[in-house]
Amino acid sequence: MSTNHDHYENAPAGPCVMVIFGSSGDLTKRKLIPALLNLAQEAVLSNHFAIVGFASNNLDTVSFRETLGEELPKFARDPIDLKMWDSLKQRIYFVKGDFLDAEAYKRLAQQIEAADKAHNCGGNKFFYLAVAPRFFAPIVDRLGGVGLTKEEEGHWTRVIVEKPFGHDLESARQLNTDLKKTLNEKQIYRIDHYLGKETVQNVMVFRFTNNIIEPLWNRHYVDHVQITASETVGVEHRGGFYETAGALRDMVPNHLFQLLTMTAMEPPISFDADEVRNKQAEVLHAIQPVSPEEVLTCMVRGQYGEGVVEGERVGGYRNEPDVSHNSNTETFVALKLQIDNWRWAGVPFYLRTGKRLAMRATEIVIQFRRTPFVLFRHTAVKNVETNRLVIHIQPDEGISLSFGAKVPGAVMRLGLVNMDFDYKSYFGLEHGTGYERLLRDCMVGDATLFQRADMVEAGWSVIQPILDVWHALPPRDFPNYAAGSWGPLEAEELLERDGREWRRIGEEDLDVRGRIAAPGVSGKASTVV
Ligand code: BG6
């Protein structure tokens, strides 16, 4: 997905130093270090590579290396290649400093230069901002202050920014403006870890490399699209952050919109980063602006009360640590969006995401239209099921297509059968952290899977009217769904009003996966006399 040929050929990324801000946080030990080790094991990490951690903790290079080594078995792929880890460990350094202290950046600059020299990193570097959002702009400003953001003599410098990228349209714009005082857009890599997931990347491949799919991918054949990202976890130890965010901000303008744009975009003329992102941005711009009335009727919010999740009794959101006892923060949203373009006009896109739901599942459902007339009219068959394509993003990665078939036998009976492709059983791939591809893309300069400033702002523009109305009209019925359910009743009604229903995740998989459902079960098969 790049004009860079190295990238296609799976060659090692070029030499560089990676600087991790907030290196003593969770992300470094859970994801970044294990991902770098996986890259090293796959021989796609340059030998001329070094890591400099920067944080205010009382660590030095020796203790930082030790801490990472101790944590590694918990998060790295088993078995760990100890020789490889040892080689990587020798290239890790630590600088103690406060993110706002300009003096500390001088020490950082010295350490980067020393690491660069020791490992021949060629003067290239990238900064990973694994820090609270309030530090993004000040860090970049201070990096600029000591000349660390300059790209000179053919050396590159890039900055990876973690989400959340702003908390509304205005703050996202402001952040873009602030970052661009020091950096140019091509140096900014806004990361969305959803794009590191294999199946998300596969949406584009599936659509644009299979000639039988694309002709059906439009309003003539598709009835509607459902995108679900449901989680069983609550807010865990992030109550303080979540209180200021809520499900809409936390998941929709980033993760869910990535899935939406990959599903709805026009075919790009190449896999060049800007070409692909232009097509994604077009989708966001084509989403019909929602009026305040539509917010009230087509956008559902919810908050979990106590309940049972995976057999365990759990408390409600308002009882989570660092959460107010009368909090109005939503932990669930369901939205109905329309895309005003030739391909999708009149095809609703239903999105839902929430915490403490019945199952962990992220998936995209393409529900195809009914056949033009009911062949089995005047028979016992009331509903001939329509074709449905499900792209399973997680936890099971795969694609399934359901279609009607005659149940063998003298009597005419119809069943819905599934054609299943399961990533793991087919490719037998080891799961990575999801960060391998993204880190390597940054090292080779491929920004295809990173968000551009205009995409971030376009995403927030869609969300802003919803934020405004919800802010003006606080919910009166929270908590309105039990932990372990599929969210508030209104989310079901949102589709029922349109004569549709959410795919019954889990239940339907049991019914139809790989076999014909028994007559009458979940309406999946019927008898024709
Ligand atoms: C994060 C959100 O961006 O994504 C979390 O802040 C959420 O609230 C997480 O749990 C979901 O990611 P994944 O990869 O576990 O589906």
Side-chain angles (χ1 to χ4, degrees), residues 163 193-194 197 231 238 250-251 255 355 360 394:
K163 75 177 265 280
H193 80 276
Y194 253 56
K197 298 182 194 288
E231 299 185 87
R238 298 162 71 226
D250 189 37
M251 294 291 288
H255 308 327
K355 302 251 181 225
R360 175 170 183 249
Q394 62 185 17

Side-chain angles (χ1 to χ4, degrees), residues 28-177:
T28 307
K29 63 181 184 201
R30 278 175 186 272
K31 303 286 184 184
L32 301 182
I33 297 295
L36 291 166
L37 188 60
N38 290 343
L39 286 175
Q41 282 174 0
E42 286 159 25
V44 288
L45 190 68
S46 170
N47 289 330
H48 303 294
F49 174 76
I51 301 168
V52 178
F54 183 90
S56 57
N57 300 62
N58 235 346
L59 290 170
D60 56 20
T61 291
V62 175
S63 53
F64 184 50
R65 287 177 183 176
E66 266 169 25
T67 318
L68 292 178
E70 280 160 17
E71 298 281 354
L72 200 62
K74 280 190 235 159
F75 306 111
R77 235 186 239 166
D78 194 32
I80 297 172
D81 181 337
L82 288 175
K83 213 167 137 212
M84 194 64 83
W85 167 238
D86 207 49
S87 149
L88 188 62
K89 194 166 82 176
Q90 301 309 321
R91 295 182 267 155
I92 300 178
Y93 302 89
F94 186 82
V95 174
K96 177 175 153 49
D98 191 296
F99 300 145
L100 301 179
D101 173 14
E103 281 303 305
Y105 286 71
K106 293 184 185 155
R107 294 200 305 279
L108 178 63
Q110 283 163 8
Q111 179 60 79
I112 294 172
E113 204 184 321
D116 188 290
K117 259 203 196 116
H119 304 284
N120 277 324
C121 300
N124 303 316
K125 53 195 169 311
F126 69 104
F127 300 93
Y128 198 116
L129 308 192
V131 299
R134 68 178 186 282
F135 292 118
F136 294 161
I139 287 175
V140 168
D141 172 65
R142 282 154 184 77
L143 286 174
V146 290
L148 278 172
T149 52
K150 274 198 229 128
E151 295 191 300
E152 289 170 329
E153 300 155 25
H155 305 150
W156 54 261
T157 301
R158 299 175 186 136
V159 178
I160 299 185
V161 186
E162 267 283 341
K163 75 177 265 280
F165 204 85
H167 61 270
D168 57 13
L169 179 58
E170 200 189 318
S171 58
R173 280 188 180 142
Q174 186 60 49
L175 183 53
N176 280 331
T177 308

